[in-house]
Amino acid sequence: AQSVAQPEDQVNVAEGNPLTVKCTYSVSGNPYLFWYVQYPNRGLQFLLKYITGDNLVKGSYGFEAEFNKSQTSFHLKKPSALVSDSALYFCAVSPSNARQLTFGSGTQLTVLP
Amino acid sequence: EAGVAQSPRYKIIEKRQSVAFWCNPISGHATLYWYQQILGQGPKLLIQFQNNGVVDDSQLPKDRFSAERLKGVDSTLKIQPAKLEDSAVYLCASSPRLAGDLTDTQYFGPGTRLTVL
């Protein structure tokens, strides 16, 4: 069965600094990997996904993520954080031959002004 | 394009009562999902529909939970009777392609926050 680990419950970063939100996964076969963001009292919003191809994936709002097969990681990054990036971030994975996504437990990102 | 609509946004009930949630997916989306998100956890899939058929309900507690998507458009999720541990946010999502195509992006509604007292 697939699983996702987000090792940090909380990440704090100063505005203008680079941010990283970590995600590692376990899956049989080739993974499909996703990042979603959740703002208070709102549903999840899609940020980006890795299906195949270039290991560096660019997504919405200046976010990007790098697929690293040897380390089974898919860390979310942004070169310069904004206060408005403060939210709950979820990583999700599915094997390419399965029907459902498995989500991590989420990382609360706080960008300090 | 209108997003996924859910109602009610909040519901408070006592244990052993019944409750129903409604979801209207994005127009034209073939696949509809219901997730349960317990506080401090990621969403967990309960049931997945393709048009009006169930694709995956392996994680749905069928003794108390039921769901339907009769006309292949909107859907209802019901809990009867509710337990304290059912307190959670219930999220509905839809995607345009057929079920099982996980290259497809899921679009989420705002959720219904259920509190069982």
Side-chain angles (χ1 to χ4, degrees), chain B residues 39-71:
Chain B
L39 185 65
Q41 300 181 19
K44 183 187 81 171
L45 181 69
L46 292 175
I47 189 167
Q48 180 180 356
F49 292 93
Q50 177 176 309
N51 297 317
N52 61 348
V54 175
V55 171
D56 184 351
D57 62 357
S58 57
Q59 299 192 82
L60 187 73
K62 298 179 186 64
D63 58 334
R64 297 184 301 106
F65 286 66
S66 64
E68 59 185 15
R69 192 186 184 199
L70 292 176
K71 297 183 178 179

Side-chain angles (χ1 to χ4, degrees), chain B residues 17-29:
Chain B
Q17 285 187 323
S18 301
V19 65
F21 312 127
W22 174 82
C23 172
N24 190 14
I26 293 173
S27 178
H29 279 198

Side-chain angles (χ1 to χ4, degrees), chain A residues 15-28:
Chain A
E15 187 175 26
N17 283 2
L19 69 86
T20 299
V21 182
K22 296 180 180 177
C23 171
T24 59
Y25 65 90
S26 174
V27 71
S28 298

Side-chain angles (χ1 to χ4, degrees), chain A residues 5-64:
Chain A
Q6 293 183 242
E8 300 159 318
D9 291 336
Q10 174 83 39
V11 170
N12 296 327
V13 64
E15 187 175 26
N17 283 2
L19 69 86
T20 299
V21 182
K22 296 180 180 177
C23 171
T24 59
Y25 65 90
S26 174
V27 71
S28 298
N30 294 321
Y32 293 158
L33 294 155
F34 298 77
W35 276 102
Y36 283 83
V37 60
Q38 187 173 36
Y39 297 98
N41 298 315
R42 295 175 66 178
L44 279 71
Q45 296 179 32
F46 169 76
L47 276 180
L48 51 80
K49 64 184 176 184
Y50 171 82
I51 303 301
T52 187
D54 193 349
N55 289 345
L56 183 64
V57 178
K58 293 187 182 297
S60 306
Y61 312 120
F63 284 93
E64 59 187 28

Side-chain angles (χ1 to χ4, degrees), chain A residues 32 34 36 38 41-44 46 49 51 88 90 94-95 98-101 103-106, chain B residues 9-10 35 37 40-43 45 48 55-56 59 91 99-100 102-103 105-106 108-110:
Chain A
Y32 293 158
F34 298 77
Y36 283 83
Q38 187 173 36
N41 298 315
R42 295 175 66 178
L44 279 71
F46 169 76
K49 64 184 176 184
I51 303 301
L88 188 56
F90 290 96
S94 175
R99 291 183 178 275
Q100 62 172 266
L101 286 177
F103 285 84
S105 57
Chain B
R9 292 295 310 277
Y10 305 91
Y35 289 86
Q37 186 178 13
Q41 300 181 19
L45 181 69
Q48 180 180 356
V55 171
D56 184 351
Q59 299 192 82
L91 295 167
L102 280 167
T103 64
T105 298
Q106 296 183 25
F108 285 80

